[in-house]
Amino acid sequence: MNISVESFKRVDLLTLSGKIDSTTATKLDQTISDLHTKGRKNLVMDLSNVDFLSSAGLRSIITAHKDGQLVLVSPSDKVLEVFNLTGLQDRFEIANDTTSAVGSF
């Protein structure tokens, strides 16, 4: 999994790609924790290039949502399937593009 972070005035954009599984979710957890420690709790996660999401990755996303404001951007079909199977699709704000997601803050 690759993560890039772009900081804006009121929000941070995390662009994720690859697989988020038990091996890589710790990297996502650490990135989120580092941002939260700095008081940066408004997050946008671009999931358009994530091709696999395990329960560990889902836990990371839920934690980010629980501890701050979170908007997801363009989750891939495979990621949306995980949200639908777990019944979590309605718990997250989902935007079609990063511009509108970042602008929502």
Side-chain angles (χ1 to χ4, degrees), residues 82-95:
V82 172
F83 284 106
N84 290 333
L85 287 172
T86 57
L88 295 172
Q89 70 277 8
D90 295 330
R91 297 218 178 235
F92 294 93
E93 182 178 344
I94 299 177

Side-chain angles (χ1 to χ4, degrees), residues 3-20:
I3 303 173
S4 69
V5 179
E6 189 174 354
S7 295
F8 296 91
K9 186 174 183 176
R10 294 183 299 244
V11 65
D12 292 286
L13 170 63
L14 284 72
T15 303
L16 311 175
S17 62
K19 297 179 181 187
I20 306 175

Side-chain angles (χ1 to χ4, degrees), residues 4-95:
S4 69
V5 179
E6 189 174 354
S7 295
F8 296 91
K9 186 174 183 176
R10 294 183 299 244
V11 65
D12 292 286
L13 170 63
L14 284 72
T15 303
L16 311 175
S17 62
K19 297 179 181 187
I20 306 175
D21 57 21
S22 60
T23 304
T24 59
T26 55
K27 181 178 177 182
L28 179 57
D29 289 338
Q30 188 60 54
T31 300
I32 293 166
S33 177
D34 291 347
L35 289 167
H36 284 180
T37 299
K38 295 174 185 174
R40 307 287 296 178
K41 296 189 177 190
N42 294 334
L43 304 178
V44 170
M45 278 190 200
D46 183 349
L47 302 174
S48 59
N49 291 310
V50 172
D51 50 26
F52 178 79
L53 181 66
S54 73
S55 59
L58 185 60
R59 179 190 45 79
S60 298
I61 293 171
I62 290 168
T63 300
H65 179 62
K66 183 178 82 173
D67 294 341
Q69 299 280 352
L70 176 65
V71 177
L72 305 177
V73 177
S74 299
S76 65
D77 289 341
K78 290 182 181 182
V79 171
L80 277 177
E81 184 177 353
V82 172
F83 284 106
N84 290 333
L85 287 172
T86 57
L88 295 172
Q89 70 277 8
D90 295 330
R91 297 218 178 235
F92 294 93
E93 182 178 344
I94 299 177

Side-chain angles (χ1 to χ4, degrees), residues 90-103:
D90 295 330
R91 297 218 178 235
F92 294 93
E93 182 178 344
I94 299 177
N96 292 326
D97 58 76
T98 55
T99 303
S100 62
V102 168

